[in-house]
Amino acid sequence: MRIVAKPLASIVSAGVTRFGIREGLYSRELFVEAAQEAFQGCPNLSPKKDVDGLFVGQMSESYEHQAHVAPMIADWLGLLPVPAFRSEAACASSGVALRCAIYAIQSGMHEVVVVGGVEKMTHLRTAAVTEMLGMASDYPFEQWHGISFPAIFAMMATAHMNEYGTTQEQLAKVAVKNHENGMLNPKAQFQKTITVDDVLKSRTVASPLKLYDCSPISDGASCLVLARPGLARNFTDTPVHIVGSAQAQDTLGLFEREDVTTMNVTKLAARKAYEMAGIRPEEVDVTEVHDCFTIAEIMAYEALGFCKPGEGGKLIDEGITRLGGKRPVNTSGGLKAKGHPVGATGTAQACEVYLQLTGQAGKRQVKGAEIGLTSNIGGSAATGVVHVYRRGD
Amino acid sequence: MSIVEVTRMTPTPPPTIESFYRFCAEKKLMGVRCNRCTKVTVPPRSVCSHCGASDLSWTELQGKGRLVTYTVIHLPPAQFQAIAPYAIGIVEFDEGARLPGMIKDTPFENLKIGMELQTDFETTTPQEWPRWPRYFFKQS
């Protein structure tokens, strides 16, 4: 018999904006849009009275020339004077914010908190955004030598293909699958299907990665209302419990790692999160992984224990991770098709799992999903965050 | 006497990134060797990245190594647009440590994981920060 793990915290509502080009909106306004959806979905919650903390993930001050965003967002949400925190871990900023929110609840110092993430990026030129994203790599040894951010993942792909025989077609199939799922998510940035051929014929960004192997530049926000497990029923009949939460770090520079074909942070965090949750990888019903580049999804399968090292390509070939397959991954469309407003991504993954486990995922619903998992990485996987969720029965 | 001159005269410069690139200007690839576990760490620092000891000494690397992985960048960051496409890779030196950098004077079709590469140094120093000459790799 399975040991039922004690919940660390409970999601009582969630909200996410439409991702994509959101012209005319500042990040604070996007965050409010996500939070309002979460608040409206939870009529028993009185935000001003009940919420006692705010956690925001955001990668960079540079996009909007705006630092000190936590009080600003608390103000725009009408939550002043609750303590507000901002965390930065590149693309894992809100995954880390979620962990901070769990710490707050587990400490006993907070009962109900809002945790989310946001990024506003599309108002800048592509070259400027590329440079800002590149800041997540090592400046004097990577950026300064002309190593772009896609190049970091391209080097992982080169090594993975060399070591295991993974092919460009297999990488392309990840993009094709995620675009198919994005078609079923009205909030996804891309609402069109693509073919393997489209991916292979798109321009090379950094070999072997093509333009369609890369997630887009996006605006968007995501938000969860998180409560102490004992209080969850005051707010909803259908809470989703977080039963595993783990994080690991690696060297900032890819070059300092022994094995560039593995995301060690995800492997370590997953192992711990499974242990906390008392589950095995094969028990996960629905998963969101960090497909900033297609190779990252293949490597995530392996790090999460969905297959053996080197067999990620086979998993995509066999259709196991498709919607309708045995182990659906990135039902939201993933970063590739849903979009990747970097600070918003970690909690957006949690929002998708919340929708799936509460039966609200519409056309992309995985029937009877009970256990969910999210895997969020920062930079070249110098940060790895894994959460395991269980439907509250 | 300027600060730069004083630093140059110091017999053992501090194990910093600044010192590493200062050595590059002298065409030397320098790391630190741990006096406890004997392993080499590059970039140099005051704590061994292998065993955590803080008893380290400067050591010169020969600059020869093998290509661990690589990519050819077609869509570069803004300041590298003039030279694209260009190859970059990670090299593991014979002494054990690794560094990433540009691979020059090597046709893209010759790039192969495991190939032998040699370190060389640029002779010019960029005008903008940080004002260091870069190291790079080429076919040996």
Side-chain angles (χ1 to χ4, degrees):
Chain A
M1 200 181 78
R2 186 176 4 148
I3 303 156
V4 177
K6 216 173 125 199
L8 302 165
S10 304
I11 304 172
V12 297
S13 195
V16 62
T17 67
R18 184 172 60 75
F19 282 7
I21 299 170
R22 302 297 309 272
E23 219 177 315
L25 291 171
Y26 278 75
S27 63
R28 64 186 93 175
E29 292 156 346
L30 287 165
F31 198 101
V32 169
E33 189 181 315
Q36 277 179 341
E37 185 178 87
F39 294 161
Q40 279 157 16
C42 195
N44 293 349
L45 178 86
S46 166
K48 182 81 186 162
K49 181 167 91 32
D50 296 320
V51 174
D52 60 14
L54 170 69
F55 295 82
V56 180
Q58 192 190 33
M59 180 196 173
S60 179
E61 299 83 5
S62 305
Y63 298 118
E64 285 186 314
H65 206 273
Q66 184 66 65
H68 213 178
V69 299
M72 175 188 82
I73 290 171
D75 180 16
W76 248 250
L77 289 176
L79 292 177
L80 293 177
V82 298
F85 307 82
R86 176 237 175 159
S87 65
E88 187 276 308
C91 316
S93 292
S94 61
V96 170
L98 178 53
R99 282 184 48 79
C100 293
I102 294 169
Y103 289 155
I105 284 172
Q106 280 287 304
S107 76
M109 291 174 78
H110 290 265
E111 293 192 330
V112 180
V113 302
V114 168
V115 51
V118 65
E119 212 81 60
K120 170 72 187 166
M121 307 166 78
T122 66
H123 57 296
L124 298 172
R125 284 176 303 112
T126 302
V129 176
T130 306
E131 196 176 329
M132 285 169 200
L133 288 170
M135 287 182 192
S137 62
D138 188 306
Y139 183 76
F141 292 94
E142 291 176 331
Q143 296 172 49
W144 194 61
H145 285 268
I147 302 177
S148 63
F149 199 66
I152 302 267
F153 280 86
M155 285 195 284
M156 296 186 204
T158 303
H160 203 278
M161 290 164 80
N162 182 70
E163 178 83 16
Y164 298 116
T166 306
T167 64
Q168 278 185 290
E169 284 77 10
Q170 288 171 330
L171 299 183
K173 282 180 189 175
V174 172
V176 170
K177 167 183 77 68
N178 291 347
H179 271 258
E180 276 171 13
N181 293 349
M183 282 283 286
L184 306 175
N185 179 0
K187 287 176 175 170
Q189 182 162 356
F190 294 130
Q191 301 282 339
K192 61 166 188 180
T193 54
I194 55 168
T195 64
V196 167
D197 215 37
D198 290 334
V199 182
L200 297 180
K201 281 187 178 152
S202 64
R203 68 183 289 196
T204 303
V205 173
S207 65
L209 299 181
K210 305 279 184 169
L211 185 64
Y212 282 15
D213 282 304
C214 311
S215 56
I217 294 166
S218 322
D219 307 324
S222 60
C223 173
L224 307 167
V225 179
L226 210 62
R228 207 168 73 195
L231 296 174
R233 296 279 168 188
N234 297 351
F235 301 109
T236 178
D237 296 330
T238 55
V240 166
H241 302 304
I242 300 179
V243 289
S245 172
Q247 180 179 335
Q249 314 298 148
D250 208 337
T251 60
L252 185 62
L254 179 69
F255 65 96
E256 293 200 71
R257 298 182 202 158
E258 222 163 281
D259 185 356
V260 297
T261 65
T262 308
M263 292 196 292
N264 205 34
V265 288
T266 303
K267 202 156 71 183
L268 295 173
R271 198 178 294 163
K272 185 154 185 209
Y274 287 138
E275 194 187 304
M276 289 171 90
I279 63 154
R280 297 185 311 275
E282 49 273 27
E283 291 177 81
V284 178
D285 298 312
V286 59
T287 304
E288 290 286 304
V289 305
H290 197 99
D291 56 324
C292 49
F293 301 93
T294 49
I295 182 64
E297 179 160 330
I298 299 275
M299 288 167 76
Y301 296 161
E302 298 168 9
L304 293 172
F306 291 178
C307 61
K308 287 186 190 135
E311 290 185 357
K314 203 174 127 203
L315 214 61
I316 193 83
D317 275 341
E318 289 170 351
I320 288 169
T321 55
R322 285 178 63 171
L323 199 52
K326 206 166 72 187
R327 194 174 319 278
V329 174
N330 282 337
T331 55
S332 68
L335 283 54
K336 178 70 195 79
K338 179 185 58 184
H340 183 28
V342 285
T345 285
T347 38
Q349 294 177 320
C351 286
E352 176 68 10
V353 166
Y354 174 81
L355 290 179
Q356 288 286 357
L357 299 191
T358 54
Q360 301 180 73
K363 285 181 183 166
R364 59 188 195 279
Q365 180 67 46
V366 175
K367 280 202 187 87
E370 282 182 31
I371 293 174
L373 181 145
T374 57
S375 171
N376 185 200
I377 58 170
S380 59
T383 293
V385 179
V386 174
H387 283 99
V388 177
Y389 312 75
R390 185 165 47 81
R391 192 173 73 192
D393 292 312
Chain B
M1 192 183 283
S2 75
I3 293 167
V4 174
E5 282 166 318
V6 171
T7 313
R8 277 212 185 117
M9 287 173 67
T10 309
T12 40
T16 58
I17 295 166
E18 183 74 20
S19 299
F20 171 86
Y21 278 107
R22 233 175 244 284
F23 278 123
C24 283
E26 297 172 22
K27 298 191 180 296
K28 280 183 184 166
L29 188 69
M30 298 293 287
V32 287
R33 188 181 289 281
C34 178
N35 292 324
R36 187 165 79 184
C37 76
T38 76
K39 286 187 175 148
V40 174
T41 293
V42 181
R45 63 197 74 177
S46 49
V47 177
C48 174
S49 65
H50 301 280
C51 77
S54 47
D55 178 17
L56 301 138
S57 308
W58 281 106
T59 183
E60 184 170 356
L61 283 78
Q62 293 311 302
K64 276 194 206 131
R66 285 172 190 280
L67 187 59
V68 174
T69 186
Y70 64 91
T71 178
V72 176
I73 299 179
H74 292 258
L75 262 177
Q79 64 274 35
F80 292 90
Q81 258 156 17
I83 58 162
Y86 56 92
I88 54 130
I90 296 173
V91 169
E92 180 165 314
F93 301 110
D94 293 348
E95 294 86 350
R98 294 178 174 188
L99 277 180
M102 272 195 205
I103 306 167
K104 295 189 181 177
D105 310 327
T106 309
F108 298 153
E109 59 272 20
N110 288 8
L111 294 169
K112 199 173 183 319
I113 288 177
M115 75 187 289
E116 286 184 12
L117 291 172
Q118 174 66 41
T119 309
D120 203 346
F121 302 90
E122 283 178 11
T123 47
T124 54
T125 304
Q127 282 308 300
E128 70 280 10
W129 181 86
R131 294 168 72 175
W132 298 318
R134 293 181 177 91
Y135 62 85
F136 63 92
F137 307 117
K138 59 181 189 184
Q139 242 173 325
S140 47

